[in-house]
Amino acid sequence: MALYFPASSAETAETPQPKQMQFVVVRANDSACEPTCPEWISAEGAIGVKTPALLKAALRTLRGRKLPIVLFSAGGDVGAAMEMGRRIRRAGLPVVVGRTWFVGCRPDEKDCKANDGKGADFFGRALSSGGYCASECTLLLAGGVKRLVPDMAILRVRLRDPKMGKAVERRLAAYLKEMGVDRVVLDRMKSARGDNLDTGPLQAAGLVTGTGTAESVTESSICRTFPAPDNCRVFTVLDLED
C-alpha cells in the first residue's frame, strides 16, 4: 500500500504547509503489533486563532488518554500558541517535533474508504526526519510535559515579529515561566537569526527536555513492554461499531 505525505512531494521542511493546523489521531501502520498498536496525534500546519478550538475538540475524543503529539509547524498566532500550550500541559501530553506519513486515507482527503473496518480513521508512520518547528510553534512545544527535538529535525525559535511591544513581551515571559522555561529563550526569540539552533542551550533553558525521536514514542515495539505506554490501544470488534 502506498505511503502518502500530507504535502506535495516537492515540499520540504523549508516550506511548511500554510494551511491551518489539523489534529488527527494516527495508528501505527504495522500489522505485527496488532491488536495492540501505538497511536499519536498528528499536528501539522499553521497556528491560527481558531486552532485552539480544534485542539480542544481533538483532545475531547481521547477521553483522558495521553497520546504524544507529533508536531510540524512554521508558527502563526502568538496568543493561540500559548493557549494551546497550556491546554497540552493540562492534558499531560508529550510533544515531539516530527512529521507523519499517512497510509490510505489522509486528513485532506474527503470520503476516503481505504481504512474502513480497520479500527482507525488514519494509519501511518511518525518520522523525525523532516520535522520542523519554528517561531510561535516553539510556544506550543513548550507546553509538552516532555519536549523532544530530534537531532535531524529543525527548530527555529525566532518569532515572526521579534520587535514585540512591552505588553506582549510580559505575556510571553509569564507564559515561559509558567512552562518552566528560562527567560533566556525569550531573548533568543527576539534576537536569534533564522538558523537552526543547537538544542544544547535550549535543553539547559528548559524548552527542550531531550533529543528523543518521533519513532521512539510511536514505533510498534513500545507496546510489547509491560506496562505498555498509554498511547498503546487495543483494537477490538467494538471499534468497528463506533
Side-chain angles (χ1 to χ4, degrees):
M1 185 176 292
L3 285 171
Y4 295 94
F5 205 51
S8 68
S9 59
E11 187 179 57
T12 69
E14 299 302 320
T15 55
Q17 296 180 82
K19 297 179 181 178
Q20 180 165 249
M21 183 173 284
Q22 291 181 295
F23 303 94
V24 295
V25 175
V26 186
R27 188 170 177 86
N29 180 54
D30 185 356
S31 59
C33 63
E34 294 293 358
T36 306
C37 289
E39 297 181 339
W40 63 94
I41 300 171
S42 168
E44 301 199 4
I47 301 169
V49 294
K50 296 181 179 179
T51 315
L54 298 178
L55 174 62
K56 181 180 179 180
L59 295 182
R60 188 182 300 119
T61 67
L62 300 183
R63 300 175 183 176
R65 295 180 63 216
K66 300 184 185 302
L67 303 190
I69 295 177
V70 178
L71 176 64
F72 180 98
S73 176
D77 185 83
V78 171
M82 289 190 289
E83 182 179 347
M84 288 193 293
R86 289 188 171 103
R87 191 172 295 278
I88 290 170
R89 180 63 62 89
R90 288 196 298 270
L93 307 184
V95 177
V96 57
V97 177
R99 296 210 77 171
T100 298
W101 286 75
F102 291 90
V103 176
C105 297
R106 309 184 301 277
D108 58 354
E109 185 175 3
K110 295 181 180 180
D111 302 320
C112 176
K113 305 294 184 182
N115 295 335
D116 287 0
K118 296 182 179 180
D121 292 330
F122 299 100
F123 290 84
R125 292 167 52 202
L127 302 175
S128 298
S129 179
Y132 185 90
C133 181
S135 302
E136 296 76 18
C137 173
T138 57
L139 298 172
L140 200 159
L141 171 67
V145 292
K146 291 183 180 178
R147 302 170 290 283
L148 306 179
V149 181
D151 290 333
M152 62 283 286
I154 294 175
L155 179 65
R156 294 174 174 169
V157 304
R158 185 177 187 270
L159 297 178
R160 291 171 181 261
D161 183 13
K163 297 180 180 180
M164 63 194 73
K166 292 295 183 182
V168 174
E169 184 171 346
R170 284 194 295 270
R171 288 181 61 202
L172 286 169
Y175 172 77
L176 292 173
K177 183 178 181 181
E178 179 184 342
M179 296 297 116
V181 179
D182 193 273
R183 163 79 193 210
V184 68
V185 171
L186 178 56
D187 296 334
R188 283 178 172 267
M189 288 178 170
K190 294 167 55 181
S191 63
R193 297 182 301 169
D195 300 336
N196 191 36
L197 290 174
D198 178 72
T199 56
L202 298 179
Q203 280 188 263
L207 177 63
V208 178
T209 61
T211 56
T213 63
E215 292 85 348
S216 69
V217 295
T218 62
E219 61 186 10
S220 60
S221 62
I222 67 173
C223 295
R224 302 189 192 109
T225 61
F226 182 83
D230 194 50
N231 64 315
C232 293
R233 180 173 68 87
V234 181
F235 168 72
T236 71
V237 292
L238 295 178
D239 294 296
L240 300 178
E241 301 173 2
D242 291 342

